[in-house]
Amino acid sequence: MTGRPGRTSRTGRGGGQASAGELLELVRSGRAVTRGALQQSTGLSRATVGHRLDRLFRAGWLREGAGGPVDSPLGGRPSITLEFDDSHAVVLAADLETRHARAAVLSLTGEILAEHSGTLVIQHGPDAVLGELGRWFAELLEKAGRRAAEVCGVGLAVPGPVDTETGRVVQPPIMPGWDGYDIRGRMARAFTEHTGAPPVPVLVDNDANLMAYGEQRTGHPDCSAFVLVKVSTGIGAGVVVDGSIYRGIDGGAGDIGHIRVGAEAQCRCGSYGCLAAVASGGAVARKLAESGVPAASGSDVRDLLASGHPEAAAVAREAGRMVGDVLATVVTLLNPGVLMIAGDLAGTPFLTGVRELLYQRALPRSTAHLDVVTSRLGERAGLIGAGALVVEHLYAPERVEERLLALGV
């Protein structure tokens, strides 16, 4: 979570500066975890801090922790620390791929409480897919021992460009029937249909964006420019700058799979010569199938690579070289500290190919402080990122004020 130390522009209930939401943000970020530290950070009086905190305690969002160190040389009682109470609610998250999906119940701090993965075909359309997800979520809540009333929101990762203002995908090449569909509304209805609970907020974002968000927050929180490239059925990139997802003006940032590389192959978007048409998991599978190796998808290629299949390794390495050529431009433009390769092809052969062309084509200055790595969270990255997106949205200072008022505290 990105912090805003010292901000005093927001007003809370009852007037004054530094709202209850901003106090909660200071506690959640660890920048101020005692009443005295909150007074010092915000300039509020002891009584006003106490009033703001009382609202958060009554909502069940804060709890008292252990006593902190005694700051005064004269001794005295240790300060009681404040903690975000992550037990008061849970988040639902799902990561959709073309033929497979993963769903989970998560705590507010990102711990997976229950998880399920299985076949879910994106081409069956949003109504059927989201309806089935509603059923999965109901079963997962029962498995986790949590009530539907405890769910504060749902996060969805989808394999296409998303207008985050509306939550609708925009001209997705591999999601037929989803263009402009009201994903938020259908998911909220499916949740209610299968759990009986009132609808909850639904947030939708691109899968590579949410994978990048989950990986950056979990493993590279100090990296101010982070790029993740997912190579599976298609190729997409997620970019996190200063702790926030960079989406461009309408959600199209990172769609590097449709950069033209001069090849003759036709892409699923209808154009010719796209990077995804020659270097994605699907493209590698087609090349292997043409040479007699049984492979129909990126997941088949992943299995072949895991078994050490030499021809699969050679084709994956060549695909990595083509992606590395494009990433040289990406790295020169963004100057990231971490470039992470994820997805079906994220193994040694592909990574070797990426490094060969990347370091050959990019300026030495652009790669001098660059770490090229593979995913740490693996298949859970999208889930972790989707859960974090919901939490950061619902517990942002301005949203906290709205929710506290709705709770009557």
Side-chain angles (χ1 to χ4, degrees), residues 162-186:
V162 177
D163 180 346
T164 54
E165 291 297 317
T166 65
R168 299 170 188 253
V169 291
V170 182
Q171 299 178 359
I174 59 175
M175 298 178 70
W178 290 72
D179 186 19
Y181 185 85
D182 181 16
I183 297 175
R184 289 177 180 171
R186 177 65 181 109

Side-chain angles (χ1 to χ4, degrees), residues 329-342:
T329 301
V330 172
V331 166
T332 301
L333 177 65
L334 297 178
N335 189 208
V338 175
L339 172 62
M340 179 174 285
I341 307 299

Side-chain angles (χ1 to χ4, degrees), residues 34-57:
T34 66
R35 288 168 174 81
L38 289 170
Q39 288 176 241
Q40 185 175 11
S41 294
T42 62
L44 295 176
S45 69
R46 180 177 179 179
T48 302
V49 167
H51 172 69
R52 303 269 199 272
L53 292 178
D54 181 60
R55 298 176 64 202
L56 297 170
F57 278 114

Side-chain angles (χ1 to χ4, degrees), residues 120-364:
L120 203 56
V121 181
I122 205 89
Q123 290 187 354
H124 289 172
D127 187 64
V129 168
L130 299 175
E132 181 67 2
L133 268 184
R135 186 179 69 80
W136 285 16
F137 284 146
E139 293 175 353
L140 283 168
L141 285 167
E142 184 175 352
K143 182 179 178 182
R146 304 302 293 256
R147 295 176 295 110
E150 297 177 79
V151 176
C152 63
V154 177
L156 295 181
V158 299
V162 177
D163 180 346
T164 54
E165 291 297 317
T166 65
R168 299 170 188 253
V169 291
V170 182
Q171 299 178 359
I174 59 175
M175 298 178 70
W178 290 72
D179 186 19
Y181 185 85
D182 181 16
I183 297 175
R184 289 177 180 171
R186 177 65 181 109
M187 187 72 258
R189 292 193 303 275
F191 170 76
T192 297
E193 289 165 6
H194 289 277
T195 67
V200 295
V202 177
L203 274 70
V204 186
D205 210 331
N206 171 262
D207 55 355
N209 283 349
L210 292 180
M211 290 174 68
Y213 196 46
E215 294 276 9
Q216 188 272 337
R217 289 170 57 85
T218 302
H220 304 273
D222 297 326
C223 180
S224 60
F226 178 95
V227 176
L228 177 144
V229 179
K230 180 183 179 182
V231 188
S232 290
T233 300
I235 301 176
V239 180
V240 180
V241 177
D242 292 334
S244 298
I245 299 172
Y246 178 75
R247 301 181 177 90
I249 60 170
D250 61 4
D255 204 1
I256 64 170
H258 300 287
I259 292 175
R260 305 292 175 82
V261 294
E264 295 299 322
Q266 185 174 19
C267 182
R268 297 179 67 168
C269 72
S271 298
Y272 287 84
C274 294
L275 180 65
V278 293
S280 65
V284 170
R286 285 193 299 274
K287 291 179 183 177
L288 291 172
E290 289 168 0
S291 64
V293 178
S297 66
S299 59
D300 291 338
V301 177
R302 179 187 61 206
D303 294 341
L304 288 168
L305 292 173
S307 68
H309 193 284
E311 190 168 352
V315 178
R317 181 169 177 170
E318 182 56 31
R321 288 172 57 84
M322 289 185 277
V323 173
D325 197 9
V326 170
L327 290 180
T329 301
V330 172
V331 166
T332 301
L333 177 65
L334 297 178
N335 189 208
V338 175
L339 172 62
M340 179 174 285
I341 307 299
D344 291 332
L345 298 191
T348 300
F350 185 86
L351 192 64
T352 299
V354 168
R355 285 179 168 147
E356 285 175 357
L357 262 289
L358 173 62
Y359 288 106
Q360 178 183 326
R361 299 292 171 83
L363 290 172

